[in-house]
Amino acid sequence: MRPSPLSRTCRDDDGPVLWLWPGQAIYAGPALGLGTHAGSVACLAVGLDAPFQVRAADGSASVRARSALIAPRVRHRLTAEGDRMLFCYLDPGSPRSVACERRMTGGGAPVRTGHRDESALMALAADLRSVGPARDWLDLAAPDDPAGPHYTDPRIRAVTALLLAQTHRTVTAEEGAAACGLSTSRFLHLFKAQTGTSFRRYRLWARMLAAGRAIGAGGDLTSAAADAGFASSAHFSDAFHRMFGLQPSRLLATGLTIVDGTTT
């Protein structure tokens, strides 16, 4: 029987926490010894007590940093030199994703390094136990300014919103194309060009967020996977491992607290 995520009233204040919002997520806790994986969305990684190394599987990047923005769909291995990490997953093409990219000062595609507010982000990470500090951290790392620069076509943003809202059913590429008034092939090309990830990978990300919310509300892996549109708990676990570099059961065994930021 898997360990249950801790409630916010009984958890250890030094334990790992996962915050979830529509399209975004923040994990802060043990480094976890992740295997090679490829995220569906951009990830801002911050070494909370020491630097870390990121090596792309294809040899396109190898960096050592305290903060790094890793592009979607890049197979990589992240090796932490310290005990604690923070991972912030950003909705691709959103104002937050673009704002974060513009705040990185070094490196290059596919791994940018040196967030300009790196020191402040490490300091703020010590207090991610309530919704105010968690949102403050996200706003410093990646401000949400709808009037600011963004790259995503509004038609594609509408489709990503649909995918986040409709995880209980399969939104097809044909449905997305029809909503955009495009052929399916043109829609898929535009979606990838605008977000940096594929339609299928983004749909998978939306389902991961839905499964996380269900587990945080007390569901087990099997029911959460089914409710989020996965064919089985094994399908969910395999997809999770490919996306994050570990099995979900191992993450939950840390005593993880999952918080839905939209309900707090």
Side-chain angles (χ1 to χ4, degrees):
M1 188 175 191
R2 70 163 181 82
S4 298
L6 299 177
S7 73
R8 282 172 290 159
T9 57
C10 70
R11 61 169 167 72
D12 182 343
D13 280 349
D14 292 326
V17 60
L18 175 64
W19 285 90
L20 301 175
W21 294 276
Q24 336 280 344
I26 295 176
Y27 164 85
L32 299 171
L34 304 178
T36 300
H37 61 285
S40 290
V41 301
C43 175
L44 174 63
V46 180
L48 296 182
D49 51 12
F52 57 90
Q53 297 183 8
V54 180
R55 293 185 177 89
D58 65 0
S60 60
S62 180
V63 302
R64 181 174 183 267
R66 285 298 290 268
S67 61
L69 182 64
I70 305 163
R73 302 171 65 245
V74 175
R75 279 182 50 79
H76 65 279
R77 181 72 179 264
L78 188 149
T79 304
E81 298 177 16
D83 295 327
R84 293 178 62 80
M85 291 289 303
L86 184 148
F87 299 111
C88 177
Y89 301 94
L90 297 165
D91 199 7
S94 69
R96 287 196 187 277
S97 181
V98 176
C100 186
E101 182 180 348
R102 291 166 66 90
R103 282 161 173 72
M104 307 308 293
T105 62
V111 182
R112 303 290 306 278
T113 60
H115 193 289
R116 75 183 191 193
D117 295 310
E118 179 179 274
S119 296
L121 290 173
M122 289 187 290
L124 284 174
D127 186 26
L128 293 182
R129 298 295 147 183
S130 60
V131 67
R135 285 178 177 158
D136 289 346
W137 194 98
L138 185 59
D139 286 341
L140 180 62
D144 184 15
D145 180 6
H150 55 78
Y151 305 144
T152 313
D153 186 304
R155 295 172 297 177
I156 299 300
R157 291 201 300 275
V159 173
T160 62
L162 177 65
L163 289 168
L164 290 170
Q166 299 290 330
T167 53
H168 61 284
R169 67 178 183 87
T170 299
V171 177
T172 66
E174 290 76 13
E175 185 177 349
C180 293
L182 299 170
S183 69
T184 300
S185 60
R186 175 58 185 156
F187 164 72
L188 292 173
H189 175 80
L190 182 63
F191 192 100
K192 183 176 179 181
Q194 292 278 303
T195 65
T197 195
S198 68
F199 175 81
R200 182 183 65 83
R201 293 295 298 269
Y202 189 92
R203 185 172 61 195
L204 188 63
W205 168 242
R207 288 174 172 172
M208 286 292 176
L209 291 172
R213 289 192 298 270
I215 293 170
D220 59 29
L221 283 175
T222 300
S223 61
D227 290 346
F230 290 92
S232 64
S233 58
H235 178 211
F236 168 65
S237 294
D238 288 347
F240 190 97
H241 188 273
R242 290 193 298 271
M243 190 179 295
F244 301 109
L246 78 168
Q247 292 291 339
S249 56
R250 187 159 75 85
L251 177 60
L252 294 176
T254 64
L256 179 72
T257 300
I258 301 177
V259 185
D260 184 349
T262 63
T263 63
T264 55

